[in-house]
Amino acid sequence: MNVIEYKTDIDVNLCSRQGTINTTYDKLVSILGEPTYTDISRDEKINCEWSAKVTYQDPWSDDPQDTKTARVTVYNWCTETIPYELYPWHIGGDDLIAEEVVNAIIRNEIKPVE
């Protein structure tokens, strides 16, 4: 995936669950950095979330100007506290490409553009 832009701390309003990824909090921090959002309150449905917007060249097009953008999130859901052990973290986004993008980030295939 040829990444053109990778931004964090974006508006993820109206994103929805697209899948899960089984990993630990420490692994996510080592790859994604500190969470975009944390709330330690037991009353919150989400206590920890990372968000990003990734713009990449459409892999099905020969035109380098033909790009796609995916908003993605990785978050816990209704656990009352931030899970630090192995946990099926939720992947959110606008469509199913979000899961593929997050997995590519975790596999270190997508890195922020500097």
Side-chain angles (χ1 to χ4, degrees):
M1 192 175 284
N2 184 19
V3 175
I4 296 163
E5 186 176 53
Y6 180 130
K7 291 183 178 180
T8 59
D9 195 18
I10 58 145
D11 178 13
V12 292
N13 193 25
L14 299 178
C15 285
S16 60
R17 183 177 176 264
Q18 301 298 328
T20 60
I21 186 161
N22 238 7
T23 191
T24 64
Y25 174 87
D26 288 339
K27 171 116 180 182
L28 289 172
V29 169
S30 73
I31 295 169
L32 303 173
E34 291 300 317
T36 307
Y37 165 84
T38 56
D39 188 337
I40 307 304
S41 170
R42 291 184 175 272
D43 299 334
E44 295 298 319
K45 291 183 178 178
I46 296 174
N47 306 103
C48 181
E49 179 179 59
W50 290 264
S51 61
K53 181 173 87 171
V54 179
T55 302
Y56 56 96
Q57 183 180 354
D58 184 348
W60 304 109
S61 174
D62 293 332
D63 182 359
Q65 301 301 317
D66 192 3
T67 62
K68 298 211 175 267
T69 299
R71 292 186 310 155
V72 299
T73 62
V74 178
Y75 60 96
N76 72 310
W77 181 255
C78 294
T79 58
E80 295 184 355
T81 61
I82 296 172
Y84 291 97
E85 302 300 320
L86 189 62
Y87 172 75
W89 289 87
H90 294 251
I91 297 172
D94 297 311
D95 53 36
L96 292 175
I97 194 71
E99 188 172 22
E100 184 179 330
V101 169
V102 168
N103 280 306
I105 292 169
I106 298 300
R107 289 189 307 266
N108 210 22
E109 294 169 4
I110 295 177
K111 298 178 186 177
V113 176
E114 298 183 16

